[in-house]
Structures are given as structure tokens and as C-alpha cells.
């Protein structure tokens, strides 16, 4: 009989429609062997060489103002431009299709202090970040050519972050990103078949089983999804099937701040170092159409495996065949759930 804690098996992701291979027999604990010690994070509260710190000059000569809360600006080196041609180019061959694309890319500084991450910020400051995210969805999503607003954060050098100052990005695009297209299709199909959002029913099942839940408050649950690919991948799911950040009331936003703090603190406590991850919210498109099947959630995709410096690499088989993980979702959830809720730097 298949024992998912011992035997290799596949797991299905109903949001993306993908399968992953889980190989729990390859390791019986979250990490093995030597764990490298990382130097302490001794960043100053203000860095005169950081272009995101208040008052400093950015690339191209623009200057960051003396902001005291959050600060948003158009990316100095955007991947997309709002005034680019967006026509479909008629190809002379089916192998060379090409379309113009438009969008707006922005940067959001979470806090004026250079040395604070979400894990170290006060709940009130995290709430201000959430409010800023929602304001940006209103501003960008109301534009006629914008159909999706993607909020995300790349934290740490392993995730390619070029600056350690606490910040995230917002890309507003005229077309739905590929991952959003897949989630839109699968959530829509589930809602049509069952009359409830996919994540409502999934969350109900997870709360009954209580095998992969890390943290929960009155309005949000943090868990390792059953189909997780990255070693310590997590999801934040709203209890109410709100379609987007704009739909959250004040109490739900406060609870989201609490949930973000809870998971980021546990991430830092895992290796007692500032933990790298890619994080982003998935919410309904901003195309002016009702999407009752969309259920607001956030994904955390950390690349770290056995220490703050040992990463999981997406290697050849995963690039050529099927994605695979060793640490089971249940094992990762137990590890994160059992970590202290107070940041390790405050316990010393």
C-alpha cells in the first residue's frame, strides 16, 4: 500500500493543473549534513549608498524623497512600457509569432529604514504596505489598457534582489500573465461545477486535516500546499473568498498583516538569518468583468533548502521532465509550525 511519507508518488496542483513528483524516501528530515553559518545581518538603518533610502539619488539622476512610510515610484528600468506599440504582427510563418506588449512597472519601498524586512516591521507598518498595495491596484487597474496587476517581492540575493532595502514590485499588464491564465481557467471550471471557489473547499479540507497548516487567525490561514514544489513553499489563503485586495475590510487587512508577519518571522527563524523568497498575490483581473470564482491568495516560493546558503536548484530532470521534491509538504509544515513566533534577533 502506498505510504506517502515513505514512497515516491505524484501530487496534483488543481490551481495550475500540474503534477509534481515527491520522493520522501530520499531524506527523513528537513536537512542533513553541515549547515553553514551565515554572518549576522548588520545593515544600518540608513545607507548613504542605497538608492532606495530616503533622500538618496537613484540611477539616472532622480532622487528618492524623504519619505516616512511607504514610497512608490515608476521603475527606472522597467520591463514594460505604457506607450509601446501593442499591435499583433502578422507572421510569415507560424514559427515566428510576435505581439507588442504594454505595461507599467513600479517599485514600492516598504519602509524608510534600510535594515527592516516584513519579518521585522511592526504590524502597523505592514498594514500600511497592504493599504499601499490596494491603492496601487485601484490606480493601475482602472487604466483602460491594464487587465492585471501583479504585486510581488523578490527578497534576498538568492532570489536575484539587487538591493537589500525592503521593497517589492508591481507589474501592471495588458495581458494576463501565464500563471494567472492557468489559475483563472482552473478556478473558473471548479466554480462552474461546484458553485464555490476552489480555494474555499481546499481550505476547508486542510483545516479539517490539520497536517500542513502553519498558522491561522480569524481571517487568514498560512499553510504548505499539498502540491508544494519548493522545499518550504507556503500559501496564504483568505477565509472569506474575497476576489482581490480591494475587497478586504479593515479587520481582514489587519489579519493579513498578522499572517504575513507570522510566516516571514518563521522563515527567518528557520536558519536564523534573513530568509530569501519570491512572494506575490494572485487576485482577480482588472478587466472590469466580475470574477466570482477568484479567491485571493499569496504564494511564497523560497529557494532555500538546507541552510541560508544552500539552495534547491531546478535541475535537468525538472527542466526536461517533471518537477520533483524530496521534503514532503507535511514535513516542511511541521518544521515551520514548530518554530517560534518571535523573531530570533529579539530572543538574543
Amino acid at each position: 500500500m502506498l505510504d506517502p511519507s515513505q514512497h515516491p508518488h505524484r501530487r496534483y496542483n488543481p490551481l495550475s493543473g500540474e503534477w509534481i513528483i515527491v520522493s520522501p524516501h530520499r531524506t527523513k528530515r528537513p536537512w542533513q549534513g553541515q549547515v553553514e553559518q551565515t554572518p549576522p545581518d548588520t545593515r544600518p538603518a540608513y545607507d548613504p549608498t542605497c538608492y532606495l533610502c530616503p533622500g538618496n539619488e537613484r540611477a539616472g539622476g532622480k532622487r528618492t524623497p524623504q519619505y516616512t512610510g511607504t514610497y512608490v515610484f515608476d521603475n527606472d528600468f522597467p520591463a514594460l512600457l505604457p506607450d509601446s506599440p501593442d499591435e499583433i504582427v502578422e507572421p510569415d510563418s507560424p514559427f515566428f509569432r510576435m505581439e507588442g506588449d504594454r505595461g507599467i512597472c513600479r517599485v514600492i519601498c516598504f519602509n524608510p529604514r534600510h535594515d527592516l524586512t516584513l519579518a521585522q516591521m511592526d504590524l502597523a507598518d505592514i498594514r500600511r504596505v497592504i493599504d499601499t498595495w490596494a491603492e496601487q491596484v485601484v490606480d493601475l487597474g482602472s487604466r483602460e489598457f491594464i487587465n492585471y496587476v501583479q504585486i510581488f517581492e523578490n527578497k534576498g540575493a538568492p532570489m536575484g534582489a539587487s538591493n537589500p532595502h525592503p521593497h517589492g514590485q508591481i507589474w501592471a499588464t495588458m495581458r494576463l500573465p501565464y500563471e494567472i491564465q492557468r489559475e483563472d481557467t482552473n478556478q473558473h471550471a471548479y466554480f462552474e461545477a461546484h458553485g464555490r471557489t476552489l480555494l474555499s473547499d481546499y481550505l476547508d479540507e486542510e483545516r479539517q486535516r490539520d497536517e500542513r497548516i502553519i498558522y491561522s487567525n480569524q481571517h487568514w490561514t498560512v499553510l504548505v500546499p499539498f502540491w508544494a514544489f519548493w522545499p518550504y513553499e507556503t500559501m496564504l489563503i483568505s477565509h472569506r473568498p474575497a476576489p482581490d485586495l480591494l475587497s478586504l475590510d479593515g479587520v481582514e487587512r489587519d489579519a493579513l498583516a498578522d499572517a504575513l508577519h507570522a510566516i516571514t518571522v518563521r522563515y527567518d527563524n528557520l536558519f536564523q538569518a534573513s530568509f530569501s523568497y519570491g512572494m506575490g498575490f494572485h487576485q482577480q483581473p482588472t478587466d472590469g468583468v466580475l470574477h466570482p470564482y477568484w479567491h485571493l491568495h499569496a504564494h511564497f516560493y523560497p529557494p532555500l533548502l538546507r541552510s541560508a546558503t544552500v539552495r534547491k536548484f531546478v535541475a535537468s530532470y525538472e527542466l526536461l521532465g517533471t518537477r520533483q521534491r524530496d521534503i514532503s509538504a507535511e514535513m516542511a509544515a511541521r518544521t515551520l509550525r514548530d518554530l517560534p513566533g518571535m523573531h530570533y534577533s529579539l530572543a538574543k
Side-chain angles (χ1 to χ4, degrees):
M1 178 180 293
L2 175 67
D3 182 349
S5 68
Q6 301 292 331
H7 301 141
H9 58 280
R10 295 200 310 164
R11 297 191 182 193
Y12 181 69
N13 181 341
L15 280 173
S16 69
E18 290 183 309
W19 289 87
I20 69 156
I21 295 173
V22 182
S23 309
H25 61 290
R26 286 168 51 124
T27 177
K28 301 300 182 183
R29 50 189 173 139
W31 62 90
Q32 295 175 325
Q34 180 179 357
V35 175
E36 292 82 353
Q37 295 297 317
T38 54
D41 188 358
T42 55
R43 284 177 293 146
Y46 167 76
D47 183 348
T49 68
C50 170
Y51 54 84
L52 297 182
C53 279
N56 292 349
E57 185 175 328
R58 303 201 308 270
K62 297 180 179 179
R63 187 168 296 276
T64 300
Q66 293 284 353
Y67 65 97
T68 58
T70 59
Y71 171 58
V72 181
F73 63 94
D74 287 341
N75 198 316
D76 295 321
F77 300 95
L80 295 168
L81 299 170
D83 53 359
S84 294
D86 59 4
E87 76 266 18
I88 298 175
V89 179
E90 291 298 330
D92 56 7
S93 166
F95 301 112
F96 305 112
R97 295 175 59 188
M98 183 171 60
E99 298 177 353
D101 211 355
R102 299 169 64 194
I104 300 172
C105 299
R106 290 179 173 171
V107 176
I108 169 174
C109 298
F110 296 158
N111 194 281
R113 283 188 53 170
H114 185 74
D115 59 338
L116 295 183
T117 65
L118 289 176
Q120 298 162 299
M121 289 166 57
D122 293 335
L123 292 182
D125 288 337
I126 299 175
R127 167 64 193 270
R128 279 190 281 272
V129 173
I130 295 168
D131 290 340
T132 303
W133 285 334
E135 291 164 3
Q136 289 298 304
V137 174
V138 172
D139 179 24
L140 295 168
S142 63
R143 305 185 186 213
E144 185 177 357
F145 74 98
I146 295 298
N147 290 306
Y148 195 76
V149 179
Q150 179 62 65
I151 295 166
F152 65 98
E153 177 192 7
N154 292 322
K155 179 174 179 281
M159 281 304 300
S162 59
N163 190 311
H165 193 105
H167 74 284
Q169 297 187 55
I170 306 168
W171 289 18
T173 57
M174 64 179 295
R175 296 185 175 89
L176 297 189
Y178 179 63
E179 292 298 323
I180 301 305
Q181 290 180 37
R182 297 200 297 179
E183 289 199 5
D184 186 86
T185 297
N186 290 315
Q187 288 185 96
H188 192 187
Y190 190 93
F191 189 83
E192 287 293 306
H194 303 281
R196 288 170 52 85
T197 67
L198 185 156
L199 288 180
S200 288
D201 285 351
Y202 170 64
L203 183 57
D204 285 347
E205 289 275 357
E206 286 284 19
R207 296 177 75 181
Q208 289 177 20
R209 296 168 186 259
D210 198 22
E211 295 176 310
R212 287 168 291 272
I213 291 178
I214 299 167
Y215 181 81
S216 188
N217 58 33
Q218 187 176 356
H219 298 285
W220 287 84
T221 289
V222 185
L223 53 80
V224 177
F226 174 76
W227 53 82
F229 165 63
W230 293 99
Y232 294 100
E233 176 181 334
T234 59
M235 284 180 68
L236 277 66
I237 306 175
S238 63
H239 291 182
R240 183 173 66 87
D244 53 27
L245 286 165
L246 305 181
S247 304
L248 300 179
D249 62 28
V251 175
E252 289 169 321
R253 293 188 187 192
D254 286 341
L256 175 55
D258 174 63
L260 286 167
H261 184 260
I263 183 55
T264 52
V265 164
R266 282 167 173 78
Y267 275 153
D268 278 10
N269 287 344
L270 180 61
F271 301 125
Q272 296 202 351
S274 188
F275 194 86
S276 295
Y277 55 73
M279 178 274 283
F281 284 88
H282 282 175
Q283 55 190 340
Q284 71 173 346
T286 58
D287 54 6
V289 179
L290 293 177
H291 301 275
Y293 52 91
W294 263 95
H295 191 136
L296 177 65
H297 59 283
H299 296 278
F300 277 83
Y301 297 134
L304 302 179
L305 177 60
R306 293 192 174 94
S307 77
T309 58
V310 176
R311 290 179 289 169
K312 172 183 172 60
F313 289 94
V314 181
S316 296
Y317 183 80
E318 290 159 334
L319 293 171
L320 298 167
T322 300
R323 299 206 286 180
Q324 180 270 339
R325 64 177 286 146
D326 293 346
I327 302 172
S328 71
E330 296 75 32
M331 185 184 299
R334 285 195 300 271
T335 299
L336 292 171
R337 183 172 56 242
D338 292 343
L339 290 167
M342 175 187 293
H343 197 271
Y344 73 92
S345 64
L346 300 177
K348 295 181 179 179

